[in-house]
């Protein structure tokens, strides 16, 4: 189908979603959320797709919510229900990304602000250009970090840094974000596209199910005791130990060749 606010393409097992409102720094609207739901649901049902790359068009990754969007307007003197916007759009987007059947890469090509920063952090790997930055801008308009921001930030950088980012609303340069462990990698702008392609191709031939189970196990860990987590890991190891990709991985290791994983 034709999208207005995003682009969506699939090639060689790599799905690419680009937030495509460059004149508005790719800020979110209700229409963009609806299109993202369609694209992500399509990825979820397409067994040929092995990895998702999420990025933005132009000079920004995403500037967060478009405050001029219909859902954010005052109507007959009544303030909008922002909680409903979060529940209807942002909660659904984060949960879809976190439950996606393939690994995800956020390719942060510029400013990632507000919900845009949190959506990037909802992906499995975050790669940013050196010119990119992350901004928790919510305190500037009297709100709190949403879209999982209050969950992702303390886990990634610790409570002290998370609180500072949220309360002071200072820009965090991508290089410092990488140093702090907020993101996986920061790379030179000139090398960014090639680096994203390399990582996407690497993940597109990896054992997809094992990567997704890794995500699930790591996100489950904070709510488990060590004993519970060991049992949780055991359940996934049992499942994966019976998978075709495990059999292929062992065979390739024994035969000293590159594995041919199918994602099954």
């Amino acid at each position: 189908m034709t999208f207005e606010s995003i682009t969506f393409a699939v090639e060689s097992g790599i799905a690419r979603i680009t937030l495509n409102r460059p004149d508005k720094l790719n800020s979110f609207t209700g229409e963009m959320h609806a299109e993202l739901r369609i694209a992500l649901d399509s990825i979820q049902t397409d067994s040929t797709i092995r990895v998702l790359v999420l990025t933005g068009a132009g000079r920004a990754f995403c500037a967060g919510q478009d405050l001029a969007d219909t859902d954010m307007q005052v109507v007959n003197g009544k303030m909008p229900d922002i909680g409903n916007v979060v529940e209807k759009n942002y909660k659904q987007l984060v949960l879809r990304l976190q439950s996606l059947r393939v690994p995800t890469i956020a390719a942060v090509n510029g400013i990632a602000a507000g919900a845009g920063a949190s959506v990037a952090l909802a992906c499995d790997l975050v790669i940013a250009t050196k010119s990119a930055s992350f901004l928790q801008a919510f305190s500037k308009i009297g709100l709190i970090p949403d879209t999982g921001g209050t969950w992702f930030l303390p886990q990634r950088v610790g409570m002290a840094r998370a609180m500072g980012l949220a309360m002071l609303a200072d820009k965090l340069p991508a290089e410092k974000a990488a140093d702090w462990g907020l993101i996986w990698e920061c790379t030179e702008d000139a090398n960014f596209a090639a680096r994203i392609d390399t990582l996407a191709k690497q993940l597109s031939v990896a054992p997809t199910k094992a990567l997704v189970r890794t995500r699930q196990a790591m996100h489950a860990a904070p709510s488990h005791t060590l004993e519970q987590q060991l049992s949780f890991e055991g359940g996934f190891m049992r499942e994966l130990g019976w998978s075709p990709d495990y059999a292929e991985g062992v065979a390739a290791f024994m035969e000293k060749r590159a594995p041919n994983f199918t994602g099954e």
Side-chain angles (χ1 to χ4, degrees), residues 151 214-225 228-229 232 236:
W151 196 86
T214 299
R215 173 210 296 154
Q216 293 170 336
M218 288 192 174
H219 283 307
S223 62
H224 287 169
T225 65
Q228 289 171 330
Q229 189 68 6
F232 196 70
F236 282 161

Side-chain angles (χ1 to χ4, degrees), residues 49-121:
I49 295 173
R50 304 282 294 279
V51 62
L52 165 65
V53 176
L54 176 65
T55 193
R59 60 190 179 91
F61 176 76
C62 177
Q65 172 66 40
D66 186 342
L67 297 180
D69 191 38
T70 304
D71 287 342
M72 303 297 291
Q73 297 304 299
V74 176
V75 179
N76 297 324
K78 185 178 180 181
M79 295 295 288
D81 185 345
I82 302 177
N84 184 58
V85 175
V86 170
E87 189 76 17
K88 178 179 70 174
N89 290 331
Y90 292 100
K91 178 180 177 180
Q92 298 306 315
L93 176 55
V94 170
L95 291 179
R96 273 178 167 80
L97 286 170
Q98 291 276 286
S99 63
L100 207 62
R101 48 165 291 280
V102 299
T104 55
I105 300 171
V108 179
N109 53 302
I111 183 70
S118 297
V119 166
L121 297 180

